[in-house]
Amino acid sequence: MTNDYSNLFLPYTLNNGVTVPNRLAVAPLTLYCQNPDGTVSDDERDFLKHHGEGFGLYVTGATLVDAGGQSFYGQARALSEADLPSLRERVEIVRSLGAIPIAQLFHGGILANPDFLPDHQPRGPSATPDEKASELTEAEIESLIQKFAYAAELCMKAGYAGVEVHGAGPFLLPQFVSEETNRRTDRWGGSLENRLRFPLAVLDAVIDVKEKAGQKDFIIGYRITPEQPGEKGITMKETLAAVSEIAKRPIQYLHVSQQNFFHAVRRGADTSKSRMELIHEAVAGRTAVIGAGELVTGADFERAVSSGWTEFAAAGQSVMLNPDLARLVREGRDDLIDRFRDESKNDSYHLPKVLWPWVPDKNGPAKLP
């Protein structure tokens, strides 16, 4: 017996006139299998070619905008024109799959790995209590804003259809928003308005690149995580304020990253409602929403999109486990979609061993990066 998920394969036109062929998106994946200098390796090339065919949007993960922000081994880079050949190759592969390629722009902030950094010193909004990371100066903050913009320009030159500003997880942009990690007393810290200043300035600078280039069809997205742990971590109150400001900008989508798409609000808003519902209400139709979080099968994607809380459903681990995921969803064959990795199938998965810890097996949940 097969299921009918044909609604997931209806096209959607973004607010800049670009039509996405369907409602499925590949969430940005940190692959750990690039070459040490961030260039395309054989493993990455093989993975990209065999994962994601038939999706509407394909976001390539964690593209580095500054050498001081590297958190992961072999991260893709958009630092200089020397990075254009690898960026172009990723674009070509993703387009060959029939998907629209988007590059995610990344900086790790205080979570940058000192082993990869030129001066071995992570930098962020404030120094960490253990002094392993130090505080950015105002001049450095202004420089980073321009580095995000330059990375967007390089991705545009490379042929990407758009970029996604990585404002999710525990990385640089949310580090500025959270009182847990931002203890500044200047215009970049203190009030929520000040704590939002840096991520909004980054987004505005990226938008400016698009406008100066006259590229109306260039897609700009922003990824956000609704809530954080910790006494002073980000709450839904702060997230809804951020979403309101982000949605005022001429962006094409807001990408919501969380462990489970259907999670209810934990604090800072109506706890009887889901985070996605409140975010979609705050967006108020001004831009599209992408939702992610434990969406594995066609039934999961259908439930997410039919909730009315998102225009697109994104998957990460399920894409890693199922090279032909979009086809199986289109055919309604949830019974053939794998939820756990099987080492005996690794050749067909085209899944480098370095990625195995990041996908679930039958002995336990996946290790989260």
Side-chain angles (χ1 to χ4, degrees):
M1 179 180 177
T2 60
N3 304 288
D4 181 10
Y5 301 135
S6 56
N7 286 341
L8 296 173
F9 293 90
L10 295 175
Y12 183 91
T13 301
L14 301 171
N15 61 16
N16 65 341
V18 173
T19 297
V20 183
N22 62 59
R23 308 304 183 87
L24 300 181
V26 177
L29 297 170
T30 305
L31 296 178
Y32 302 93
C33 64
Q34 295 96 338
N35 291 319
D37 62 357
T39 55
V40 180
S41 67
D42 288 340
D43 271 345
E44 183 190 8
R45 188 176 293 113
D46 191 48
F47 179 88
L48 291 175
K49 286 180 178 179
H50 294 93
H51 293 258
E53 184 173 0
F55 277 74
L57 294 170
Y58 195 122
V59 186
T60 58
T63 301
L64 198 61
V65 305
D66 174 66
Q70 184 173 348
S71 294
F72 313 114
Y73 175 87
Q75 274 186 259
R77 300 178 182 182
L79 305 181
S80 72
E81 295 207 348
D83 299 314
L84 285 173
S86 282
L87 294 172
R88 286 178 176 136
E89 183 173 1
R90 294 180 181 107
V91 167
E92 291 168 2
I93 293 172
V94 171
R95 288 197 185 278
S96 74
L97 302 175
I100 294 175
I102 308 291
Q104 185 187 65
L105 305 183
F106 173 93
H107 191 293
I110 60 174
L111 291 184
N113 187 325
D115 292 341
F116 302 139
L117 309 186
D119 60 1
H120 304 288
Q121 178 66 63
R123 312 275 281 160
S126 299
T128 54
D130 60 9
E131 298 184 348
K132 289 183 178 179
S134 58
E135 182 173 293
L136 290 161
T137 66
E138 286 209 47
E140 287 170 331
I141 291 171
E142 295 285 1
S143 175
L144 280 176
I145 293 168
Q146 296 310 310
K147 287 181 178 181
F148 271 93
Y150 181 56
E153 183 180 339
L154 288 172
C155 290
M156 184 183 290
K157 284 183 179 180
Y160 272 99
V163 293
E164 175 180 288
V165 176
H166 194 352
F171 302 112
L172 181 63
L173 273 63
Q175 287 167 18
F176 270 86
V177 179
S178 175
E179 288 186 286
E180 194 82 33
T181 46
N182 185 346
R183 295 175 295 280
R184 302 179 73 98
T185 57
D186 58 8
R187 65 193 184 109
W188 305 104
S191 68
L192 178 57
E193 179 183 4
N194 282 358
R195 285 181 281 122
L196 287 173
R197 190 184 306 278
F198 176 70
L200 292 176
V202 166
L203 182 56
D204 288 340
V206 170
I207 292 169
D208 191 50
V209 167
K210 169 182 175 175
E211 292 179 346
K212 286 181 177 177
Q215 298 268 3
K216 180 184 176 183
D217 59 351
F218 194 71
I219 296 167
I220 295 178
Y222 191 97
R223 198 172 204 220
I224 194 167
T225 298
E227 296 188 81
Q228 290 181 335
E231 182 181 347
K232 294 184 177 181
I234 294 170
T235 71
M236 282 301 295
K237 179 180 179 181
E238 293 158 317
T239 290
L240 292 174
V243 167
S244 178
E245 288 298 320
I246 292 167
K248 291 177 183 177
R249 270 82 176 163
I251 66 169
Q252 281 59 67
Y253 70 79
L254 179 74
H255 190 171
V256 185
S257 170
Q258 53 183 330
Q259 187 175 6
N260 185 288
F261 177 94
F262 298 98
H263 269 169
V265 171
R266 187 165 62 88
R267 58 182 182 174
D270 186 346
T271 57
S272 70
K273 293 189 174 184
S274 80
R275 298 162 175 169
M276 290 299 303
E277 181 179 6
L278 293 183
I279 288 171
H280 202 267
E281 287 177 359
V283 168
R286 290 173 287 183
T287 192
V289 174
I290 301 176
E294 295 183 358
L295 302 179
V296 177
T297 66
D300 296 333
F301 303 136
E302 178 72 23
R303 184 182 171 208
V305 173
S306 65
S307 71
W309 303 336
T310 190
E311 281 67 52
F312 295 90
Q317 288 183 348
S318 191
V319 171
M320 296 171 78
L321 287 170
N322 299 276
D324 53 354
L325 180 61
R327 178 184 64 80
L328 293 176
V329 173
R330 184 184 287 273
E331 295 175 359
R333 297 307 307 269
D334 282 1
D335 57 315
L336 298 180
I337 294 175
D338 288 333
R339 289 181 172 272
F340 304 103
R341 65 179 166 87
D342 180 346
E343 295 182 11
S344 68
K345 292 183 178 180
N346 188 53
D347 286 345
S348 63
Y349 283 167
H350 296 270
L351 189 65
K353 285 190 176 182
V354 70
L355 299 180
W356 288 7
W358 311 111
V359 291
D361 61 26
K362 293 182 179 179
N363 298 317
K367 178 181 178 183
L368 296 176

